[in-house]
Amino acid sequence: PPYLPHISREVGMLSALERAELTGRGGSYLRFLEPCLEGRGRQHAASSPADAGRSEKLRGYAMLLVNLTGAPLPPEDLAAYGRGLLPLARRGGGGGGGKLQPGTVATTDFPPGGRLLNTGVPTLVLVLPPRDGADSRWRKMYERCAGLESVGAGLKGRVFRGLSPAQWDEAVKGLPPSPLAAAAAAAAAEKARAE
C-alpha cells in the first residue's frame, strides 16, 4: 500500500514511551497513526535543522547497533543513535528480528556475522564498547568486532566502533547520501526533466 512507508516513518519517530503505549495492552494505535493516514503526519519537530538533516540522511541506510556494553541498551540510547529509524525486533546471537532495510535499526548483543552484515543494502554498523567493570566476555566480543569489515566482505556501508551519541552525530554528518537515496534523487530529477 502507498501509505505503508509513511506509517513506518511515523512509528520510527515515536519515542520509546509512545512505542510502549502503542504495543502495550490496550494501546491505542489510532492516536498515533490516524493523522498519518489522513495525510497530516505527527508534528515531530527536530531540535534543529541539522538534527532533521541527520535523521533524513540516516533513513537512507539500514543500521545495526551492536550493544556490547554488558548492560541492556536504554531506550533513550536507541533513540539517540537510531534517530528517525524504525526499530526492528532485537537480534540475539545473529538471528531473529525483521530484515534490515533502509530506514530501520536493529540491535544485537553479539558480534554479527556475514548474514547480518551482508544485507545487500547500505548498512551502518555501530559497535558500543563494554562499560567499565563489564565481564571479560564483553571485551573479547568487542575485540572480535575490530575485523567486521573483513567478515562482512559484502558489506555495503561502514563499521563504527565506540562512538558516543555526540560522536555518532558528527560521523553521520560526514556520511555521503546512501547510494539508494542518491539513485532515488537522480530518478526524481530525471522524471522532473522529462515532464
Side-chain angles (χ1 to χ4, degrees):
Y3 53 83
L4 192 57
H6 302 291
I7 291 174
S8 295
R9 180 167 288 156
E10 289 294 314
V11 172
M13 295 165 112
L14 295 175
S15 72
L17 291 174
E18 290 170 323
R19 278 193 303 275
E21 182 180 334
L22 183 67
T23 59
R25 174 173 243 131
S28 175
Y29 67 92
L30 291 178
R31 178 170 85 88
F32 299 111
L33 301 180
E34 227 171 25
C36 179
L37 292 172
E38 293 170 357
R40 294 183 282 126
R42 294 185 65 226
Q43 301 301 315
H44 292 286
S47 58
S48 72
D51 282 348
R54 283 192 292 275
S55 293
E56 192 59 39
K57 191 179 277 190
L58 272 177
R59 285 189 200 107
Y61 293 89
M63 182 177 174
L64 181 61
L65 187 56
V66 183
N67 177 21
L68 301 179
T69 62
L73 185 68
E76 56 273 9
D77 285 0
L78 178 60
Y81 288 115
R83 181 182 304 128
L85 301 179
L86 178 65
L88 298 175
R90 185 186 159 283
R91 296 167 177 263
K99 184 176 181 191
L100 276 174
Q101 292 292 324
T104 63
V105 58
T107 60
T108 183
D109 57 3
F110 197 83
R115 191 174 57 187
L116 281 178
L117 297 175
N118 301 326
T119 61
V121 298
T123 302
L124 302 174
V125 180
L126 177 59
V127 184
L128 301 179
R131 294 184 177 166
D132 290 338
D135 189 279
S136 65
R137 73 183 177 111
W138 297 106
R139 292 185 211 308
K140 289 176 184 171
M141 287 192 285
Y142 186 70
E143 289 168 11
R144 277 196 297 177
C145 287
L148 284 181
E149 286 88 354
S150 62
V151 171
L155 177 65
K156 295 179 179 180
R158 294 191 49 200
V159 176
F160 300 88
R161 293 181 61 209
L163 301 182
S164 69
Q167 292 168 322
W168 175 244
D169 282 346
E170 289 301 312
V172 169
K173 277 198 288 189
L175 289 173
S178 81
L180 296 177
E190 184 63 32
K191 182 178 178 184
R193 278 194 293 271
E195 293 176 349

